Amino acid sequence: MEVKKQEEMQERLEKFYRETLQIKEDGLVQTAVPASRILTLRVGEILIREGTVPTNLCFLLKGVIRGVLPNHNGKDVTDCISCRYGDSVMPDSDYTRPASVTMEVLEDSEVLTVPLETVQKLMDQYPRLVEVYRDLVLRSAVMHRELKIAVYQYDALQRYQWFLRTYPGLIDRIPHKYIASFLNMTPVTLSNVRKAVREKQHKENQ
């Protein structure tokens, strides 16, 4: 039974690298798979804490994880949310520096981890991995740019609608206080916006 579990785990890891990250080099995959682990995390656990230097490159396989940091008043602010299979759940694009945010689990999650030391060695050997890294950084930058546009250029209703489009289904999975923080509004404002949307939909359906 243990051997079967190990084989299933290996197949799962290999599928992630080949299909999700689109890595075709056999040598790269065969080195990354045995070095990788899958962590099971519960709500409230911390994957990476602010101020610590990450030791692993982490990808979300299941669940929801947010990046959180304190504002000038010491109040927690949600900086980013990862909820899609294959999302990089790293606090910064430069993994060699202390984390600028804490990565906190909002829903029971599974995370694939591979030591950054192994990643660096493979990047030196396989140029394709450098491209994968650049794609991850670019994807993160695009998402943060879209969030900034939503936060600074949209009103509360537009921000809420943007969230529903960008994170379909997530509104019903995590506490709304984190979503309000993410959208730079108070929980009361978010509640009022949701109420207005429901009332409008009800009138349209009458």
Side-chain angles (χ1 to χ4, degrees):
M1 182 65 71
E2 187 65 29
V3 172
K4 184 177 180 180
K5 286 184 178 180
Q6 291 178 352
E7 290 177 349
E8 291 176 349
M9 182 69 70
Q10 182 170 337
E11 290 178 1
R12 188 179 178 190
L13 291 169
E14 185 168 333
K15 182 178 181 180
F16 177 85
Y17 286 117
R18 292 187 184 280
E19 297 184 8
T20 304
L21 296 188
Q22 293 293 302
I23 295 174
K24 306 302 182 183
E25 293 84 350
D26 290 336
L28 199 167
V29 174
Q30 291 168 5
T31 302
V33 167
S36 303
R37 298 290 182 271
I38 294 180
L39 301 180
T40 299
L41 301 168
R42 301 303 178 193
V43 174
E45 288 193 70
I46 301 300
L47 176 63
I48 302 171
R49 193 173 295 278
E50 178 190 5
T52 63
V53 178
T55 57
N56 292 288
L57 182 59
C58 304
F59 296 95
L60 187 68
L61 301 180
K62 176 185 176 182
V64 183
I65 294 178
R66 73 164 178 155
V68 54
L69 72 165
N71 65 11
H72 63 283
N73 292 320
K75 185 178 180 180
D76 284 351
V77 175
T78 300
D79 174 72
C80 59
I81 297 178
S82 297
C83 60
R84 300 179 183 85
Y85 178 83
D87 274 355
S88 170
V89 279
M90 299 298 290
D92 305 279
S93 58
D94 185 353
Y95 307 147
T96 65
R97 300 174 63 86
S100 63
V101 299
T102 293
M103 305 305 291
E104 177 188 12
V105 179
L106 297 186
E107 181 182 88
D108 290 350
S109 301
E110 288 185 348
V111 174
L112 184 156
T113 70
V114 57
L116 282 168
E117 182 179 358
T118 300
V119 173
Q120 188 57 59
K121 290 178 180 178
L122 290 173
M123 288 177 69
D124 294 338
Q125 188 175 357
Y126 295 95
R128 167 60 186 152
L129 197 56
V130 177
E131 295 178 12
V132 172
Y133 169 77
R134 289 174 179 169
D135 287 344
L136 292 172
V137 172
L138 179 59
R139 193 181 312 166
S140 176
V142 169
M143 182 56 68
H144 276 81
R145 186 181 69 238
E146 291 180 354
L147 174 61
K148 285 185 177 180
I149 291 173
V151 167
Y152 295 113
Q153 296 185 359
Y154 298 169
D155 61 27
L157 173 59
Q158 291 171 324
R159 273 177 269 166
Y160 174 63
Q161 292 171 329
W162 172 84
F163 179 85
L164 294 181
R165 291 193 305 270
T166 308
Y167 298 91
L170 189 59
I171 190 72
D172 299 316
R173 292 170 57 185
I174 63 176
H176 291 171
K177 64 180 180 179
Y178 299 130
I179 296 173
S181 172
F182 184 57
L183 296 176
N184 194 30
M185 64 177 75
T186 67
V188 172
T189 298
L190 177 60
S191 178
N192 290 339
V193 168
R194 285 171 53 78
K195 181 180 179 181
V197 169
R198 287 194 299 269
E199 290 177 349
K200 181 180 179 181
Q201 291 174 339
H202 178 69
K203 290 180 180 180
E204 291 175 348
N205 293 333
Q206 285 183 333

